[in-house]
Amino acid sequence: MSRWFSYLNSATTILSAYKGEEPFASFIKKHFSQHKKYGGKDRKQISHLCYCFFRLGKAFADMPVAERIIAGLFLCSNEGNDLLAELNSIWNDKATLPLRDKLALIDNSVSMDAIFPWKEEVSKDIDFNGFVSSFFIQPDMFLRLRPGKEEVVKKKLIAADEHFKNIDATCLSLPAGAKLDDIISINKEAVIQDHSSQRVGVFMEFVTVSQDKDSNKIRVWDCCAASGGKSIMAFDILKNIELEVSDVRESILINLKKRFVEAGITRYKSFVADLSKALVNKLSPVDLIIADVPCTGSGTWSRTPEQLYYFDQSKIETYAALQKKIVVTAISYLKPGGYLLYVTCSVFNKENEEAVSYIQQNFATMNVVKMELLKGYNNKADTLFAALLQRSL
């Protein structure tokens, strides 16, 4: 048996054992730790085949796993390669064809809708075919260069022969999987943050408030803080802030604390909070609430295509209901004249535009300052939604 078919068999075995209960990256890492026979090149090829399988989404659901892997590899290949040539030489010769034509070669009855069968649910500004096509492309890694560290980081990357592209004054793109830990100080000099997520910073620049007379700081509450990326960005953009962070998961706040130490953020308050329920006097009114709410994550599925494969449409309603509860709780702590920055990494209308409509319908004093679907699917980045609303004085 050639090593190519050995890779295919290994991928088939791994996929048969995976049930979608944890991120696939964690699952396959554990698998390789338990099976030491795989070298670095082997792991890379087998992982690629597994991800090709997931990138087909809901299409070809009845196809045997091994055949579905090869079909995924074909759609993910922009040019011929040794692996595809061995597994299906005919498809390898057609690898440069457009995605639609390749789909037709596999099965002319299958359309883009078969991969992502929720077209009617997406935000109106989405280019559906462009969005679905992005599932077959591995997104880039992006760095947000922190203030004063722009040239330092670039010089270090050049010295290490690490190739990058300048996206804008503070954003660089690098190939996915670039190893940077030994080159730059992550979080101190630059933050690993998707380009669309970095664009949320533009919304923060609209925040103009009368600073607290006692502390002379803008009071910011990152209410669904997760790993703290938006908090670090607010610290860099707004400068003089009094920061509070919360999350429903205590474990994530432990990770956030470590990241804040690296980022040089030492003065802040944190607490565990389930915002689907009312808080009990946890904090005083704030100037800015960052609500990067839990969501389907559908705008990030090109990074985690296993979520596309396992997605259940009922989750849209589940998350939309949760998001409404969170914003209702959060807004009660917003000062008159203060701002709510509502963010999702979803492409679904119910989590995005409809959520903003709900806020306005239920809080007559909340007015939209800026709202945008931050499209990343044509630029090897995630797609996010952001809306900045201000409470009337």
Side-chain angles (χ1 to χ4, degrees):
M1 180 189 298
S2 74
R3 72 178 187 278
W4 308 117
F5 279 95
S6 177
Y7 291 154
L8 179 62
N9 288 341
S10 294
T12 301
T13 299
I14 292 168
L15 290 168
S16 298
Y18 179 64
K19 305 303 177 187
E21 296 172 349
E22 65 178 303
F24 185 69
S26 300
F27 179 86
I28 198 168
K29 184 178 180 180
K30 293 175 185 176
H31 178 87
F32 288 143
S33 295
Q34 295 167 1
H35 300 81
K36 304 293 186 181
K37 64 179 180 179
Y38 300 109
K41 186 177 293 186
D42 300 331
R43 292 194 297 271
K44 184 176 181 179
Q45 291 283 13
I46 294 167
S47 296
H48 178 58
L49 288 175
C50 290
Y51 279 110
C52 287
F53 172 89
F54 291 128
R55 290 184 187 282
L56 287 172
K58 301 295 185 180
F60 311 112
D62 298 328
M63 188 180 284
V65 174
E67 292 181 24
R68 200 171 188 277
I69 291 171
I70 300 171
L73 176 64
F74 175 45
L75 296 182
C76 290
S77 301
N78 293 324
E79 57 185 22
N81 56 79
D82 292 342
L83 180 54
L84 183 58
E86 184 68 22
L87 299 178
N88 190 316
S89 60
I90 295 175
W91 284 353
N92 188 61
D93 293 338
K94 305 290 186 179
T96 58
L97 288 175
L99 180 62
R100 282 177 174 275
D101 294 344
K102 290 199 284 187
L103 271 174
L105 277 175
I106 299 172
D107 185 339
N108 60 16
S109 68
V110 172
S111 67
M112 303 285 266
D113 300 57
I115 298 165
F116 184 95
W118 310 287
K119 185 176 182 178
E120 299 306 313
E121 295 281 357
V122 303
S123 296
K124 61 180 177 60
D125 290 338
I126 289 284
D127 170 8
F128 183 75
N129 289 336
F131 172 63
V132 175
S133 297
S134 72
F135 293 141
F136 299 97
I137 302 171
Q138 174 63 41
D140 283 339
M141 174 191 288
F142 294 90
L143 288 180
R144 182 176 65 81
L145 309 180
R146 301 198 64 201
K149 304 296 183 182
E150 296 87 352
E151 294 307 315
V152 171
V153 171
K154 291 178 184 179
K155 287 178 180 178
K156 287 184 176 182
L157 292 173
I158 292 170
D161 199 28
E162 191 69 55
H163 297 287
F164 63 87
K165 294 180 182 178
N166 291 291
I167 303 301
D168 57 41
T170 59
C171 180
L172 306 179
S173 70
L174 298 93
K179 306 297 183 183
L180 303 178
D181 288 345
D182 296 329
I183 301 174
I184 64 173
S185 297
I186 300 296
N187 294 321
K188 180 179 180 181
E189 295 177 328
V191 176
I192 297 174
Q193 187 173 25
D194 178 76
H195 181 227
S196 295
S197 183
Q198 294 186 41
R199 291 170 63 194
V200 173
V202 173
F203 290 71
M204 295 181 185
E205 293 172 359
F206 282 80
V207 174
T208 55
V209 299
S210 298
Q211 296 180 339
D212 189 292
K213 293 180 181 179
D214 295 327
S215 65
N216 196 34
K217 293 179 182 293
I218 300 172
R219 298 201 68 226
V220 178
W221 176 29
D222 191 349
C223 69
C224 303
S227 61
K230 301 294 190 306
S231 288
I232 299 173
M233 189 158 62
F235 180 85
D236 289 345
I237 292 173
L238 299 176
K239 309 296 184 186
N240 197 28
I241 68 173
E242 181 179 324
L243 178 64
E244 300 203 41
V245 295
S246 64
D247 199 277
V248 71
R249 302 156 293 178
E250 186 172 7
S251 60
I252 207 78
L253 291 176
I254 294 172
N255 294 332
L256 174 147
K257 181 178 180 180
K258 177 179 180 294
R259 195 178 186 197
F260 275 11
V261 169
E262 295 170 343
I265 299 175
T266 56
R267 302 188 68 176
Y268 66 96
K269 296 178 182 178
S270 69
F271 59 96
V272 177
D274 180 356
L275 297 184
S276 66
K277 305 171 185 177
L279 297 183
V280 182
N281 299 324
K282 284 290 185 181
L283 74 166
S284 302
V286 298
D287 299 301
L288 169 64
I289 297 171
I290 302 171
D292 191 351
V293 294
C295 68
T296 57
S298 47
T300 69
W301 285 348
S302 54
R303 294 187 191 277
T304 55
E306 70 272 20
Q307 294 186 35
L308 166 65
Y309 177 77
Y310 282 101
F311 185 68
D312 181 338
Q313 185 172 351
S314 66
K315 290 183 178 179
I316 301 174
E317 294 288 353
T318 300
Y319 277 110
L322 175 60
Q323 291 152 5
K324 289 172 183 175
K325 291 178 181 178
I326 289 172
V327 296
V328 166
T329 301
I331 287 174
S332 65
Y333 292 90
L334 189 63
K335 289 181 180 180
Y339 297 82
L340 170 70
L341 178 53
Y342 178 86
V343 183
T344 77
C345 50
S346 173
V347 298
F348 293 127
N349 179 58
K350 285 186 175 70
E351 300 184 273
N352 296 342
E353 293 89 351
E354 284 193 20
V356 174
S357 294
Y358 174 84
I359 294 169
Q360 292 186 288
Q361 289 166 9
N362 287 271
F363 297 91
T365 60
M366 297 297 292
N367 303 297
V368 174
V369 176
K370 179 177 174 64
M371 182 170 72
E372 185 178 354
L373 188 71
L374 303 170
K375 304 170 190 175
Y377 48 81
N378 289 328
N379 300 304
K380 302 179 76 173
D382 299 336
T383 293
L384 276 67
F385 173 84
L388 182 70
L389 298 96
Q390 185 177 23
R391 190 170 200 165
S392 301
L393 290 169

